[in-house]
């Protein structure tokens, strides 16, 4: 299944706290590798902010949870997504079923 991950840095009390968090993220990212069961299709950072987006694919929700837990400095939102062709096919089937019910 495909997901879009959205993350942003958690709010901090001081500039020193934010700088320490940024240093820690850089330290972790130098050694971090995605779990083998997770394919990262896009890994993007919002310009001028500490956060971003990733398009990933996995059937291993434990690995996804491990990924987001590794970076405690960020808040994550995870959205399951499907390709537009699959969405259009599903919507077309729903419309056809509704039409088969006839008008009231």
């Amino acid at each position: 299944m495909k997901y879009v991950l959205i993350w942003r840095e958690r709010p901090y009390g001081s500039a020193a706290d934010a700088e320490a968090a940024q240093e820690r993220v850089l330290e972790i990212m130098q050694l971090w590798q995605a779990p083998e069961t997770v394919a990262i299709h896009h890994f993007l950072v919002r310009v001028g902010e500490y956060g971003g987006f990733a398009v990933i694919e996995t059937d291993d929700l434990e690995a996804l949870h491990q990924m987001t837990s590794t970076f405690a400095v960020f808040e994550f939102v995870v959205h399951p997504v499907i390709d537009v062709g699959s969405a259009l096919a599903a919507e077309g089937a729903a419309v056809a079923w509704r039409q088969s019910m006839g008008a009231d």
Side-chain angles (χ1 to χ4, degrees), residues 28-50:
I28 292 170
M29 282 301 295
Q30 289 177 13
L31 301 174
W32 182 78
Q33 292 182 356
E36 290 181 13
T37 56
V38 176
I40 299 176
H41 298 295
H42 299 282
F43 200 1
L44 309 164
V45 173
R46 290 190 310 270
V47 175
E49 294 186 53
Y50 296 109

Side-chain angles (χ1 to χ4, degrees), residues 7 12 24 33-34 38 51-52 55 63-64 71 75 77 79 85 92 97-98 101-102:
W7 70 91
Y12 295 97
R24 182 66 175 146
Q33 292 182 356
V38 176
V55 177
L64 177 54
F71 298 96
E75 296 174 338
V77 177
H79 294 281
W97 182 82
R98 279 197 316 263
M101 300 297 296

Side-chain angles (χ1 to χ4, degrees), residues 9-26:
E9 194 169 288
R10 294 181 189 277
Y12 295 97
S14 71
D17 291 340
E19 289 175 2
Q22 185 181 32
E23 290 172 12
R24 182 66 175 146
V25 167
L26 291 172

